[in-house]
Amino acid sequence: MPSPLIRRRVHPAPLMAGFALLCSGLHVGSAEGATDGEAAAGPKHHRHAGRRMHARAHPAGDAPVAGHRATEHAAGARPDEVPVRPLNGQKLEQAGRNAAEEEHVTVVGSRMNILHEDIGLSRMPQDVMHTAQTVNVVPKLLMEQQNVKSLEEALRNVPGVTASVGEGQGGMSGDQFLIRGFQAQNDIYEDGLRDFGVYSRDSFDYDHVSVIKGPSSEVFGNGTTGGAINMVTKMPHLGNSYGGQFSGGSADYYRGTLDVNQQIGESTAVRIAAMGNENDEVGRNSVYSHRWGIAPSIAFGLGRATTLTIEYFHQTDNRIPDYGVPLLKKPGTSVSRPATSFGLNRNNWYGTQYDQDATNVDMLTAHLKLELNSHISFYDDLRGGMYDRYYSASQEGCDATCNAAYFTDPAAAMVARRGHVGGPEPYQQNDWSVQNVFSTIATFNTGALKHQIIAGWDVAHVYDRRTNYAYNYNGQNGTRADKTSLVNPTNDVPGLLLGGLGQYGYGLVNISGVGKALHKTGDGTDVGAFFSDQIWLTPKFSVRAGFRWDHWDSHYSANEGPAGAGQSFGQKQDTYNPTVNLMYTPDDNTMLYFNWAQSTTPLGLYVTNSVEPLKASTEGFKPETSSLYEIGAKYNAFHGRMGFTVSAFRLEKGNSLLTDPSTGDVTSSSDRQRNQGFELSASGEILKNWNVIATYAYYDARTIASLTAADVGKRIQYAPKNSATFWTTYTAMANTPWNVTFGGGLTWRQGVWLDAANTARAPSTVEWDAMISHSFLKHWKVQMNGYNLANRLNYSNLFSDRVTPSTGRAFLFNLSATY
């Protein structure tokens, strides 16, 4: 595995020269997992309309020495002798192209060095190195080595990210993440556009995943208290590449993926990524997922001033939702813990024959980039999405009687499966959304000052329609009568009947302030405008200031209940979110920064994936507000092979909205929460063929003011005090027929509190994983992965009174080919 990653930018006229180099035998060795198309086919063009390139084009006669020496390396120089030219945050990228310019290759370091990664959206055009905020990246190479199969698996490499299973009537499964202890369920983006759907995201179409920590409403809009998650997808590129893989292993796991890119003409390419997946869950009874997906895309004008990329995404998934095991409080103690900590079988699943999570997701996206001249570029990103979902889940609850029985007569302990407020009852969910983001990037000088202005607008609308169904149990209202043994649960429940539309109307959940309803409809429209200006006061020091205005208009209605009554509510709110960055770049490899940013979260922002917060008593609630103060440093070392980051932050959230898990009621409070701490990361190539990526986070997360005096000083839910990830691989006998890559790593999260009063706790997570692979016949690779090798009882999804056991010890075999 060569030391540096080499990426090329080819100007329009010398495009054929690049192919001539290829044909003459120039071959750049790729890091493990890179396709020959990526390693040798030519330019790493804009992956979509807003994506920035890592390599720079230099006019003839002004090329850096590193560029020429990189070409020498391609011809056979030792990788570790090649000086690296990192990206320079003080110099703005030149968009103009000259047909007479010579092609130059720029070394930008190891594929595992996350500082070289782009974030994946036009509103944040800098790479991670020159972004004044904590950004964690899960790079493509890491996902390949770990055989990552979902967004949740990818995010296990990011400290401070936890998963929640949802709660209350209308509670959701799917991807429900928290960042630094704060909800991020509406802060999931794909190529810079919101993904409004509620589903479990497969990773077959991901290039890499970025997590931008802390309030970022100036860039993303309302929300982002803890941060934002942006998946950067696979896009067409010039040159041809063909890849596929098959995996099989524990718990009847079978998976196949395909990734094909084909160039058509001089500037057009098509790409198709596809996936089929079936698996049960190691350590959990009756839980499985059967899914498939396809993501075709086409790009016009690659390498030219105007580029249009159109992509379609479809994923179908039929899975069993898993709400885990309840918490129990042992007599004589004051803290509730998972029932499995007291000997309950970790395999126990408390669902019924009706439980199902069936989703169909369709998204059509267009990215347009226009480089008007060397100073001005325009970007327009448009997406329409349709989400179809049938959801029925059992949420087990062990009340005081059940809890006491388990410690005296376990066989008598019975859990209710209909949840706190009798739900979530089964429902059919039909959603659609549309979003358009237009942005402009302008670079110019005013006297001695250099500017980069980013401005534009963001318009989005989301619509949610739920049709509710109810159960009947032996001729009675079945919403609370359905119970099963805590120790030996029965999944097939005789006499439990799922009615048709309105058949068992009395079984519908009665939501306080809303009532019972067959249909619940929500919608939200957001119109936003943003502006920022980064000014270089000196070549080494710059200031960036920006703001965003949003007008949020949302509605909720519940109608056609048993009594025929209906309820309708609505609200309009205007929000303003500023940000200020100070950046000092003493050289090409170092940046010191300060970041101050704010975000707001209006009531009802989570239209598609939350309980119904809008009612007569809540319409006037002010939005939650959050502020971030952060200082940090980023450094590229060892000629760009390694990247290091350190940051210290204080995140304050005010006017917190609270959801009562017993009633589903949303209340406003004067609660103020604060999370302060620091984060560290190191990533890249320590020595030739030895890669590592490591992160650590320390959080002092507490409630600092509350109407409930007893909660003051308590730790915030789901925010671990300490967490860390580590992954390393080494390739022995690289570039020989006897090559072997082996490695492994650790995921560690300290135990977390599950409620504001700190009376329920989930234990720490410690997971050891490992891999070994061998490449053969130039294009083929065989790999074996082992997960949770110690078979430790960890917990992945968390909520206030239940946790979901993570996968037990598992092994996967993978065979892949890349051409």
Side-chain angles (χ1 to χ4, degrees):
M1 186 187 305
S3 172
L5 166 65
I6 295 181
R7 296 182 177 175
R8 287 179 237 146
R9 182 174 188 173
V10 183
H11 302 285
L15 183 59
M16 296 308 297
F19 286 105
L21 284 172
L22 178 62
C23 296
S24 67
L26 172 63
H27 177 72
V28 181
S30 61
E32 183 196 5
T35 66
D36 287 345
E38 290 177 339
K44 186 78 172 181
H45 290 278
H46 286 278
R47 297 177 45 79
H48 69 70
R51 198 153 308 152
R52 162 193 184 144
M53 295 176 48
H54 295 304
R56 300 288 182 87
H58 304 280
D62 189 35
V65 174
H68 292 289
R69 298 220 26 207
T71 305
E72 293 171 6
H73 164 55
R78 284 173 49 86
D80 49 27
E81 294 176 350
V82 181
V84 174
R85 179 183 176 88
L87 291 176
N88 189 339
Q90 305 164 28
K91 299 180 180 180
L92 300 176
E93 186 172 3
Q94 297 299 314
R97 294 183 172 88
N98 187 331
E101 289 176 358
E102 178 185 356
E103 180 197 18
H104 295 282
V105 180
T106 303
V107 178
V108 294
S110 165
R111 292 178 68 212
M112 196 70 90
N113 183 352
I114 66 171
L115 295 185
H116 300 310
E117 293 283 5
D118 59 77
I119 296 175
L121 60 154
S122 60
R123 288 106 69 201
M124 300 183 76
Q126 306 294 342
D127 59 3
V128 174
M129 173 73 188
H130 299 98
T131 299
Q133 198 163 349
T134 298
V135 180
N136 295 110
V137 176
V138 185
K140 178 181 178 182
L141 178 58
L142 179 62
M143 290 194 291
E144 290 172 346
Q145 291 177 345
Q146 294 182 348
N147 198 4
V148 164
K149 302 164 287 297
S150 67
L151 176 61
E152 182 179 352
E153 289 185 13
L155 293 179
R156 291 175 189 170
N157 293 284
V158 179
V161 176
T162 54
S164 169
V165 298
E167 185 58 273
Q169 194 281 333
M172 291 292 185
S173 189
D175 289 334
Q176 304 282 317
F177 299 112
L178 303 105
I179 303 176
R180 290 177 172 171
F182 300 105
Q183 285 287 351
Q185 57 190 11
N186 200 48
D187 301 321
I188 300 177
Y189 294 78
E190 187 176 278
D191 298 322
L193 296 171
R194 282 192 201 263
D195 185 351
F196 291 96
V198 181
Y199 63 103
S200 297
R201 294 161 176 84
D202 194 282
S203 61
F204 75 97
D205 193 35
Y206 296 168
D207 181 85
H208 61 278
V209 178
S210 303
V211 180
I212 301 93
K213 297 282 188 67
S216 307
S217 287
E218 183 264 329
V219 174
F220 294 100
N222 289 322
T224 68
T225 300
I229 300 164
N230 186 54
M231 299 92 71
V232 182
T233 61
K234 299 174 181 177
M235 290 291 178
H237 58 79
L238 293 181
N240 302 327
S241 61
Y242 314 99
Q245 63 177 346
F246 173 79
S247 297
S250 302
D252 294 329
Y253 186 94
Y254 304 99
R255 178 182 177 87
T257 62
L258 183 70
D259 183 7
V260 175
N261 187 92
Q262 181 69 45
Q263 180 174 336
I264 303 173
E266 293 186 354
S267 61
T268 302
V270 296
R271 188 167 185 173
I272 298 177
M275 168 275 302
N277 188 104
E278 287 192 11
N279 68 276
D280 295 338
E281 187 71 22
V282 176
R284 299 294 292 154
N285 290 337
S286 306
V287 177
Y288 65 78
S289 171
H290 299 164
R291 61 186 185 271
W292 67 274
I294 187 168
S297 55
I298 184 169
F300 305 94
L302 291 170
R304 298 182 177 178
T306 301
T307 304
L308 173 64
T309 304
I310 301 173
E311 56 175 328
Y312 169 72
F313 173 86
H314 174 85
Q315 180 180 309
T316 291
D317 191 0
N318 185 3
R319 67 174 56 230
I320 298 297
D322 186 4
Y323 278 75
V325 298
L327 303 181
L328 299 178
K329 184 183 295 184
K330 188 175 182 179
T333 65
S334 59
V335 176
S336 299
R337 302 183 185 279
T340 43
S341 299
F342 304 109
L344 187 74
N345 188 342
R346 61 163 295 160
N347 292 271
N348 281 6
W349 178 73
Y350 297 95
T352 75
Q353 67 268 33
Y354 292 109
D355 284 17
Q356 184 181 21
D357 186 0
T359 59
N360 288 284
V361 177
D362 294 275
M363 293 188 292
L364 182 63
T365 308
H367 302 287
L368 176 65
K369 171 185 66 71
L370 170 60
E371 294 181 352
L372 187 64
N373 52 44
S374 61
H375 301 287
I376 300 176
S377 297
F378 298 102
Y379 304 88
D380 193 77
D381 302 311
L382 173 65
R383 170 174 297 151
M386 297 187 67
Y387 309 92
D388 173 273
R389 187 182 199 216
Y390 176 79
Y391 190 70
S392 176
S394 300
Q395 295 184 4
E396 76 284 349
C398 187
D399 59 16
T401 301
C402 167
N403 189 106
Y406 180 77
F407 292 100
T408 56
D409 182 10
M414 304 293 288
V415 295
R417 290 191 275 206
R418 295 274 65 82
H420 295 294
V421 293
E425 59 201 7
Y427 56 84
Q428 173 67 39
Q429 185 178 14
N430 296 97
D431 299 342
W432 63 269
S433 65
V434 63
Q435 183 181 14
N436 183 252
V437 180
F438 174 83
S439 58
T440 301
I441 299 180
T443 62
F444 58 92
N445 294 340
T446 56
L449 301 180
K450 185 177 298 181
H451 297 258
Q452 182 184 64
I453 286 180
I454 302 174
W457 61 79
D458 182 351
V459 179
H461 179 80
V462 58
Y463 173 88
D464 174 71
R465 172 76 165 179
R466 299 190 200 179
T467 301
N468 297 307
Y469 301 90
Y471 288 108
N472 179 279
Y473 186 67
N474 290 334
Q476 302 175 7
N477 181 341
T479 55
R480 290 188 180 276
D482 178 19
K483 292 188 176 182
T484 191
S485 169
L486 175 62
V487 177
N488 296 301
T490 301
N491 301 335
D492 187 10
V493 185
L496 182 65
L497 301 176
L498 176 60
L501 182 61
Q503 183 176 356
Y504 303 125
Y506 54 79
L508 294 172
V509 175
N510 187 14
I511 301 297
S512 175
V514 175
K516 300 182 178 182
L518 295 179
H519 299 287
K520 298 172 184 176
T521 305
D523 68 80
T525 301
D526 182 70
V527 178
F530 52 90
F531 176 89
S532 68
D533 186 8
Q534 184 172 354
I535 305 174
W536 278 261
L537 302 177
T538 72
K540 297 182 179 181
F541 181 75
S542 64
V543 178
R544 179 182 178 273
F547 72 92
R548 173 165 170 149
W549 162 81
D550 282 274
H551 176 73
W552 175 249
D553 185 358
S554 62
H555 307 87
Y556 168 72
S557 64
N559 51 56
E560 298 183 49
Q567 298 280 346
S568 296
F569 310 98
Q571 66 170 0
K572 295 181 180 180
Q573 291 182 331
D574 290 279
T575 60
Y576 301 87
N577 292 293
T579 185
V580 175
N581 306 145
L582 307 179
M583 289 162 281
Y584 176 62
T585 52
D587 54 54
D588 285 343
N589 295 310
T590 308
M591 186 178 81
L592 309 176
Y593 68 88
F594 167 78
N595 177 27
W596 171 74
Q598 288 189 333
S599 70
T600 54
T601 305
L603 184 71
L605 180 63
Y606 309 123
V607 173
T608 61
N609 57 2
S610 70
V611 297
E612 292 77 18
L614 279 177
K615 55 191 71 172
S617 60
T618 65
E619 283 183 288
F621 283 2
K622 294 181 180 180
E624 297 177 321
T625 58
S626 303
S627 298
L628 172 70
Y629 306 85
E630 180 179 322
I631 58 172
K634 302 182 182 184
Y635 179 63
N636 266 320
F638 311 126
H639 306 296
R641 295 198 315 268
M642 288 289 297
F644 298 92
T645 71
V646 57
S647 64
F649 71 92
R650 171 175 284 187
L651 172 57
E652 296 182 348
K653 175 183 175 182
N655 191 37
S656 297
L657 299 178
L658 306 177
T659 302
D660 188 329
S662 299
T663 64
D665 286 345
V666 177
T667 57
S668 183
S669 73
S670 60
D671 279 14
R672 290 176 53 212
Q673 298 174 325
R674 182 184 66 203
N675 190 352
Q676 58 187 8
F678 62 90
E679 298 196 20
L680 310 171
S681 76
S683 60
E685 190 175 51
I686 299 178
L687 297 173
K688 184 179 179 181
N689 303 322
W690 182 11
N691 284 308
V692 67
I693 183 166
T695 63
Y696 169 76
Y698 169 83
Y699 297 153
D700 178 18
R702 300 182 183 276
T703 298
I704 57 177
S706 176
L707 293 176
T708 306
D711 291 347
V712 176
K714 300 293 179 64
R715 292 194 63 87
I716 297 173
Q717 299 166 264
Y718 317 120
K721 186 175 183 179
N722 294 280
S723 58
T725 68
F726 176 78
W727 180 264
T728 184
T729 60
Y730 178 75
T731 301
M733 297 170 287
N735 302 318
T736 73
W738 304 279
N739 69 87
V740 60
T741 298
F742 56 90
L746 168 71
T747 301
W748 172 57
R749 183 194 68 215
Q750 196 170 3
V752 297
W753 295 104
L754 301 176
D755 63 339
N758 289 182
T759 61
R761 187 170 177 83
S764 61
T765 289
V766 181
E767 180 173 327
W768 293 96
D769 302 329
M771 63 81 67
I772 185 169
S773 69
H774 168 66
S775 298
F776 61 99
L777 298 179
K778 188 177 179 179
H779 300 288
W780 290 79
K781 183 175 73 173
V782 61
Q783 178 171 311
M784 177 72 76
N785 286 83
Y787 306 95
N788 194 11
L789 296 177
N791 201 30
R792 178 184 168 91
L793 180 55
N794 296 315
Y795 301 93
S796 56
N797 290 15
L798 310 175
F799 210 75
S800 59
D801 65 348
R802 64 177 75 90
V803 293
T804 304
S806 300
T807 301
R809 184 188 294 118
F811 297 93
L812 286 183
F813 169 85
N814 179 270
L815 177 66
S816 62
T818 55
Y819 287 86

